[in-house]
Amino acid sequence: MTTLIVIILYLCLLLGLGFFSSRLFRGTSKDYFVASHSIGPFLLLMSVFGTTMTAFALVGSTGKSFERGIGTYGLMASISGLVHAGIFFLIGIRLWAFGKKYGYITQIQFFRARFESDGLGYLLFPILVLLVVPYLLIGIIGAGKTIEPVTAGAFTEIFTNPTAPQWLGGIPPWLTGLVVSLVVLTYVFMGGSRGAAYANTFQTIVFMVMGVVAFVYIINGLGGMEQAGKVPARITEKGIIVQDYQFDKTTKELVKNEKPKPIGRVTDSTTVDLSNKQPHLARTPIQVEFKKKNPKTGVISSFERELGIPFITFLSYFFIPLSVGMFPHLFQHWLTAKSAKAFRLTVIAHPLCIMVVWVPCVLVGVWASGVLPPGIPPPAVLSAMLNLLVGDPVLTGLLTAGVLAAIMSSLDSQFLCLGTIFTNDIVIHRAGKNKYSDKQVILIARVFIVVIVALTYVLAMWAKNANVFDLAIWCFSGFSALFPVVFAALYWKRATKEGAFASIIAALISWLYFFHLSGYGGELVIGPGIIPAAVCFAVAAIAMVLVSLLTKPPTEETLQKFFPSAKKL
Amino acid sequence: MKKRVIWFLFLLLFIVHQDFWWWDDAFLVFDFLPIGLAFHAGFSIVCAILGWAAIKYAWPHDLERFAEENNDEENAI
């Protein structure tokens, strides 16, 4: 119950911030959509970082390193530091400049003007919505999955049908999803993009601080850093994977097992000598077989897992962070910047913020391999480590608030961006900009945001058992496949309307093909370990180049507008 | 020239990121931090330094000026 009270207090605080930021709202559509281009460096950094980091930053990173080891950081975090910063510098500032100069509020407005095509907007709109909606589902489903275990036992009389027997009395996912949706809706509805920027800043600080606090408590629980380094699971001379330590709940100390506890065995490896190696500390792939117990039936079964990361997969993961170049919600955040200089802090500090959040989480996941049962669901690893090693309800509540903060700081921007693109790219675009007053435009956006929140909630309840983190990678892959369009639009004069159409259609078809092969959201690698995003990107880039070269170049007027001469630029 | 150096450093960092030399090394720096993770944490710091260098030596001053002067926003869209 204490945990739940802490979470409720946090949500109330967030609503209070929503009311505060709504008082700063200037009442114009420009302020509602892009905060009148008034956001300074710190708010921009926090809102961009908070938007790009979902629940994956805390919960997913810990779970992934529990499964695969330290390679998780290089695979998803450090490469993102390089690529994201590069995109903010090369794409973000340039799009901000055109947005400021020509008054664009959405990506589609920019692409329509650059490629001289209305139809391109109608093609892009459903694709962007289709890719953002699963991203929204990730947040709502992830929130539900996070809250139920940590509030288990709080309402045993009311919530009698838990997802797993041990979570009896916990807040059910449908209620968490509803509350989270309503809280985000409230502050986005009131404050628009300025409200989202303030809320994001607050929430990003919360989840960064809570990640570090949880890390410190877990280290103390393990008996200090040096001791923690010995904890990860180990392979014996016979290829058995063992845990050398266990946490004694009575003495609250980590104690060495008299005999190492076997938890699995190596089934395949290219490394000759694995004896006494701790596989989570390196990245060479090995196949292992673990056993797990079904919590409902008690039946023990075995499952296979690949520890480490194949080199080709590691290499091709470069294509995933390219997705930020095409995130419509990030485009909108870029447009809120007061000046190009506001980007400077983001370019420098974004990789450091990633490091502060991800390094502790990856370490916790690695250490968890030595004290938690291998069959535990990866998203539950962080809370399980806290429950085991700390067990303090206030801290658990604060950490859960941190996870919710990471989730909601992405949800708000995505809801707002869908409202923005629908209002500007469909309604106003079709009706003409003089058809509606400024107040009516804000009203249309707000109504659409309410509708999209409601639809997303219903969809999330329908897809509540989906693996949210695999779904996230598919969303990123789709946006990565569209990256050649934005890059060519900004840097290649010869890129044509037909090239853009071909590239988007090629990206869509290849993405749908691989998504189908994956069983609609599962893990999929091609050949020696290439991820689908790399192939979709290549197909889309080739289509852009070939079709552009075969078709008529853009008009001189368009080229002068987007590629001003050196004197002007 | 300075922009080319920044581009070169970006590509160099991409290659360095692959880190195949410590791929299978589980050595613990300060007895708790796996060397592969320590390397990539350091890599993140170097990315921040590259970002600083890009801002200092390859900042798009002309683009910034272009966006700020004679704003066409009132007539656009």
Side-chain angles (χ1 to χ4, degrees):
Chain A
M1 186 57 104
T2 311
T3 302
L4 185 62
I5 292 170
V6 173
I7 296 166
I8 291 172
L9 282 177
Y10 172 74
L11 293 176
C12 290
L13 202 61
L14 196 58
L15 282 176
L17 187 72
F19 283 111
F20 163 75
S21 63
S22 72
R23 293 174 69 92
L24 302 173
F25 177 46
R26 297 175 189 173
T28 64
S29 61
K30 191 174 155 190
D31 201 67
Y32 194 76
F33 295 132
V34 289
S36 305
H37 305 301
S38 64
I39 298 298
F42 183 69
L43 284 185
L44 187 68
L45 165 69
M46 289 289 113
S47 50
V48 165
F49 181 66
T51 302
T52 50
M53 295 292 129
T54 59
F56 202 98
L58 292 174
V59 180
S61 56
T62 313
K64 192 87 177 169
S65 76
F66 174 74
E67 285 183 299
R68 290 191 174 263
I70 59 153
T72 302
Y73 187 81
L75 186 78
M76 306 177 103
S78 60
I79 191 66
S80 295
L82 180 67
V83 175
H84 287 184
I87 287 175
F88 299 154
F89 191 81
L90 293 170
I91 309 280
I93 297 174
R94 215 166 175 85
L95 284 176
W96 169 85
F98 290 129
K100 183 92 191 288
K101 181 84 176 170
Y102 303 127
Y104 304 137
I105 287 170
T106 69
Q107 274 175 321
I108 289 177
Q109 289 174 341
F110 164 73
F111 285 125
R112 273 181 166 146
R114 165 63 182 86
F115 289 116
E116 306 162 313
S117 167
D118 254 17
L120 195 71
Y122 293 119
L123 174 67
L124 257 183
F125 176 76
I127 294 174
L128 294 178
V129 173
L130 276 176
L131 287 173
V132 172
V133 167
Y135 205 166
L136 286 165
L137 297 183
I138 295 162
I140 294 176
I141 298 171
K145 285 187 175 176
T146 307
I147 299 291
E148 192 180 18
V150 297
T151 53
F155 301 98
T156 46
E157 303 287 313
I158 305 172
F159 303 120
T160 52
N161 189 22
T163 312
Q166 67 269 33
W167 299 336
L168 178 71
I171 304 289
W174 68 264
L175 184 55
T176 304
L178 186 64
V179 171
V180 163
S181 299
L182 287 176
V183 169
V184 174
L185 176 66
T186 305
Y187 69 77
V188 170
F189 189 91
M190 289 189 300
S193 128
R194 188 183 301 281
Y198 277 98
N200 276 356
T201 301
F202 171 64
Q203 301 198 88
T204 305
I205 292 169
V206 167
F207 81 72
M208 288 177 80
V209 170
M210 287 324 302
V212 174
V213 168
F215 180 63
V216 171
Y217 272 88
I218 286 169
I219 286 176
N220 286 340
L222 289 172
M225 290 227 185
E226 200 176 318
Q227 181 72 3
K230 297 174 188 161
V231 168
R234 178 176 63 85
I235 301 172
T236 65
E237 294 82 357
K238 291 178 180 169
I240 305 295
I241 301 173
V242 295
Q243 291 178 333
D244 288 320
Y245 295 87
Q246 63 171 303
F247 190 75
D248 188 331
K249 283 187 178 172
T250 6
T251 60
K252 292 193 179 300
E253 274 183 0
L254 191 74
V255 288
K256 189 156 188 170
N257 292 328
E258 282 181 21
K259 277 173 69 179
K261 180 184 168 190
I263 54 167
R265 66 185 182 92
V266 177
T267 54
D268 190 20
S269 166
T270 49
T271 309
V272 181
D273 184 18
L274 286 169
S275 58
N276 283 323
K277 289 213 166 170
Q278 292 169 298
H280 288 81
L281 301 184
R283 284 155 291 176
T284 307
I286 57 169
Q287 291 292 333
V288 295
E289 185 189 73
F290 288 123
K291 294 210 182 306
K292 71 172 174 184
K293 190 171 155 186
N294 185 318
K296 281 186 179 166
T297 60
V299 174
I300 294 175
S301 58
S302 58
F303 65 99
E304 290 240 344
R305 179 178 281 164
E306 184 183 52
L307 293 183
I309 294 166
F311 182 74
I312 296 292
T313 305
F314 191 83
L315 185 71
S316 61
Y317 245 76
F318 161 78
F319 291 93
I320 294 289
L322 288 176
S323 54
V324 301
M326 272 303 288
F327 280 171
H329 45 288
L330 205 55
F331 178 94
Q332 200 164 351
H333 273 301
W334 290 337
L335 263 287
T336 64
K338 190 192 285 182
S339 66
K341 288 184 180 68
F343 281 83
R344 291 179 172 180
L345 183 63
T346 304
V347 170
I348 296 172
H350 187 80
L352 300 177
C353 289
I354 290 179
M355 184 184 75
V356 168
V357 173
W358 280 69
V359 168
C361 289
V362 167
L363 278 173
V364 170
V366 166
W367 296 336
S369 71
V371 286
L372 293 182
I376 191 169
V381 170
L382 182 58
S383 54
M385 283 293 272
L386 274 174
N387 283 338
L388 179 72
L389 302 173
V390 185
D392 182 82
V394 175
L395 186 74
T396 307
L398 287 172
L399 183 83
T400 309
V403 174
L404 287 184
I407 291 171
M408 290 192 289
S409 63
S410 300
L411 277 181
D412 53 13
S413 310
Q414 292 154 353
F415 282 137
L416 181 66
C417 119
L418 289 183
T420 306
I421 58 178
F422 174 75
T423 308
N424 290 282
D425 299 325
I426 303 295
V427 179
I428 298 179
H429 185 76
R430 287 194 69 85
K433 71 170 183 173
N434 296 323
K435 166 104 180 185
Y436 301 106
S437 70
D438 214 36
K439 282 204 165 31
Q440 284 174 318
V441 170
I442 298 171
L443 181 67
I444 293 167
R446 282 176 163 163
V447 169
F448 188 73
I449 290 169
V450 172
V451 171
I452 201 82
V453 170
L455 279 177
T456 308
Y457 175 71
V458 172
L459 274 174
M461 291 307 106
W462 176 70
K464 61 186 176 190
N465 294 323
N467 184 336
V468 290
F469 297 117
D470 283 346
L471 212 54
I473 294 296
W474 280 103
C475 284
F476 297 155
S477 302
F479 283 115
S480 303
L482 294 172
F483 183 81
V485 181
V486 70
F487 192 81
L490 290 171
Y491 287 98
W492 192 34
K493 286 183 183 178
R494 194 64 184 76
T496 67
K497 171 176 80 177
E498 292 80 6
F501 268 101
S503 183
I504 293 168
I505 291 167
L508 180 67
I509 292 173
S510 55
W511 184 85
L512 284 172
Y513 172 70
F514 290 123
F515 192 58
H516 167 73
L517 281 188
S518 76
Y520 301 98
E523 252 190 18
L524 177 75
V525 288
I526 302 151
I530 299 166
I531 60 165
V535 180
C536 297
F537 176 93
V539 170
I542 291 167
M544 168 59 90
V545 173
L546 286 182
V547 177
S548 289
L549 290 175
L550 292 171
T551 49
K552 209 171 81 175
T555 61
E556 197 53 39
E557 190 191 350
T558 297
L559 288 179
Q560 280 186 359
K561 190 173 176 182
F562 293 101
F563 298 91
S565 62
K567 269 187 187 173
K568 281 187 186 169
L569 189 61
Chain B
M1 181 60 190
K2 284 173 184 171
K3 282 186 185 174
R4 283 185 189 172
V5 172
I6 298 293
W7 267 110
F8 170 75
L9 290 174
F10 181 88
L11 294 174
L12 185 67
L13 274 186
F14 174 72
I15 295 165
V16 167
H17 176 264
Q18 307 316 320
D19 167 32
F20 39 84
W21 47 91
W22 278 322
W23 199 258
D24 198 24
D25 195 337
F27 172 74
L28 292 175
V29 180
F30 306 122
D31 290 329
F32 83 97
L33 190 61
I35 192 155
L37 185 58
F39 172 82
H40 279 278
F43 180 90
S44 296
I45 295 169
V46 175
C47 287
I49 295 170
L50 179 67
W52 170 83
I55 287 164
K56 184 152 178 69
Y57 299 110
W59 183 253
H61 293 286
D62 296 334
L63 187 68
E64 195 178 13
R65 225 171 8 253
F66 163 80
E68 301 288 357
E69 71 191 16
N70 301 326
N71 205 326
D72 294 355
E73 208 169 316
E74 295 306 315
N75 302 320
I77 303 300

